[in-house]
Amino acid sequence: MLKQFYPKEDWKSAYETKEYERLYAAGYRGIIFDIDNTMVEHGAPVNEKAIFLIRKLKEIGFKVCFVSNNKEPRVKSFSTPLGAEYIFKAGKPGAAGYEAAMKKMGTTKEQTVSVGDQIFTDMWGANRAGIHSVLVAPIGKKEEIQIVLKRYLEKIVLHFYGKSKKKVH
């Protein structure tokens, strides 16, 4: 039952550039990113690190789309300076936001990877959409109360995820 929440991979950060090169070599062409606590601290504007990463990903050949449950002003103000597509009020963990992002990027679920910091929205949503999911550690400590509460439940899922990884290795 918990496996529906497990990521396909986990990284320390969304800024692992070597990992993207590996994914591109494996046939992935589109990347869906969450914004808050995946790319920047919650509510923070786009920064040089994000600009550099998205530029690098585009040079590699990736299409990029930001998918967020936030309202349009937040998502647009982050995505536009990066020249990236975006989906706001995505309804994660529903699959519709991911499907809309793939349509905008012109990719299939087999060519798309999703990167996010939350198990119950980002990982579950990507998995429901049939997309390769990558969990990254949250960037900041400051989060909305509903996310803080979900983090306690995530610890349980991550415990079992960690045990399942040890069985495979």
Side-chain angles (χ1 to χ4, degrees), residues 21 26 35 44 47 57 63 94-95 97 130 132 140 154 165:
E21 292 167 1
I35 298 173
N47 59 25
L57 294 175
K63 300 270 200 282
H132 189 83
E154 281 187 355
K165 278 178 51 177

Side-chain angles (χ1 to χ4, degrees), residues 10 19 22 30 41 63 76 97 106 127 130 132 136 155 158:
D10 58 280
E19 296 292 354
R22 176 182 57 79
E41 287 192 22
K63 300 270 200 282
K76 183 178 182 178
N127 292 343
H132 189 83
V136 296
K155 285 180 185 177
L158 290 170

Side-chain angles (χ1 to χ4, degrees), residues 39 46-47 50-52 54-55 58 66 78-84:
M39 298 298 293
V46 68
N47 59 25
I51 292 167
F52 178 81
I54 300 307
R55 186 178 303 140
K58 287 179 176 183
F66 291 94
F78 190 87
S79 305
T80 302
L82 299 171

